[in-house]
Amino acid sequence: MHVQEWLETVPAVAVYALVGVVIGLESLGIPLPGEIILVSSALLASQHGDIDPVVLGASATAGAIIGDSIGYAIGRKGGRPLLAWLGKKFPKHFSEGHIATAERSFEKWGMWAVFFGRFVALLRIFAGPLAGVLRMPYWKFAIANVLGGILWAGGTTAVIYYVGIVAESWLKRFSWLGLVAAVLVGLTSMLVLKRKAKKAAPAVAAE
């Protein structure tokens, strides 16, 4: 079953909890499809009045910030051995090459690697634990974590929600042309932000 079709069968409270937990676990360092769940839920909210986009965005933001904070604490306590253990458990995501790339991002951008990491799939699961392993001062981590969590989770929810509202309205008036135009606007907004974030992270091929 498609993610959105499955979400339609779940009560609103459960959707809020699901989004918060999945994003929190992903931010903590567990490879999960947090962005897919968030986008699907925001689109669902635009089509069903039972789901409040404000509560949804708040749940996603809370999950992102809390998950990253727990990941930071675990990384600070576990240190390098933790990264080695994660590499064995999740070799696809925590390979030595990926860890090295993430570390270069932190060395170059410092606390802003945590902020921009929200918008880069690879860094999203690394940001919290790696910041702890590298013993980044907590106040720097906290600022970047909160700002990044609000902008990524809240911003993504808002953009997708309003794209869904516009798409539904235009679809009634202009059939599929309105839907295509609305989706393109939303995708363009997200891609611009993602491109800026990726520029902040060193390219693997260039290293």
Side-chain angles (χ1 to χ4, degrees):
M1 183 181 294
H2 190 273
V3 174
Q4 187 172 345
E5 293 177 350
W6 180 76
L7 285 173
E8 290 178 354
T9 67
V10 179
V13 174
V15 172
Y16 303 144
L18 175 67
V19 169
V21 170
V22 171
I23 290 178
L25 291 175
E26 182 189 38
S27 301
L28 190 152
I30 299 176
L32 290 175
E35 191 169 46
I36 293 176
I37 292 293
L38 179 58
V39 169
S40 297
S41 300
L43 188 58
L44 183 63
S46 71
Q47 301 169 357
H48 297 271
D50 293 340
I51 299 177
D52 188 329
V54 175
V55 178
L56 179 64
S59 300
T61 300
I65 294 173
I66 294 172
D68 244 16
S69 297
I70 295 175
Y72 174 89
I74 293 175
R76 193 174 181 87
K77 184 175 181 179
R80 294 285 176 179
L82 173 64
L83 296 181
W85 181 82
L86 288 173
K88 293 179 180 179
K89 293 293 183 180
F90 305 103
K92 181 179 178 181
H93 297 87
F94 289 89
S95 66
E96 292 183 4
H98 285 172
I99 292 176
T101 299
E103 284 192 86
R104 287 193 291 271
S105 298
F106 272 75
E107 290 173 359
K108 183 175 182 179
W109 297 100
M111 62 182 287
W112 295 111
V114 176
F115 176 83
F116 286 115
R118 281 289 169 202
F119 304 91
V120 182
L122 174 63
L123 288 180
R124 190 155 52 241
I125 61 175
F126 280 119
L130 191 56
V133 170
L134 298 178
R135 296 191 173 277
M136 176 183 291
Y138 183 73
W139 69 269
K140 290 185 176 181
F141 168 79
I143 291 175
N145 179 30
V146 171
L147 292 179
I150 292 174
L151 186 57
W152 175 73
T156 298
T157 301
V159 169
I160 298 300
Y161 175 77
Y162 285 111
V163 165
I165 293 291
V166 172
E168 186 175 16
S169 176
W170 284 14
L171 186 58
K172 293 178 181 178
R173 299 179 183 179
F174 308 107
S175 188
W176 62 274
L177 291 176
L179 176 62
V180 172
V183 170
L184 287 177
V185 170
L187 288 177
T188 299
S189 300
M190 292 185 67
L191 288 175
V192 168
L193 192 53
K194 281 179 173 290
R195 179 172 295 181
K196 290 182 178 180
K198 286 182 178 180
K199 287 181 179 179
V204 178
E207 297 292 339

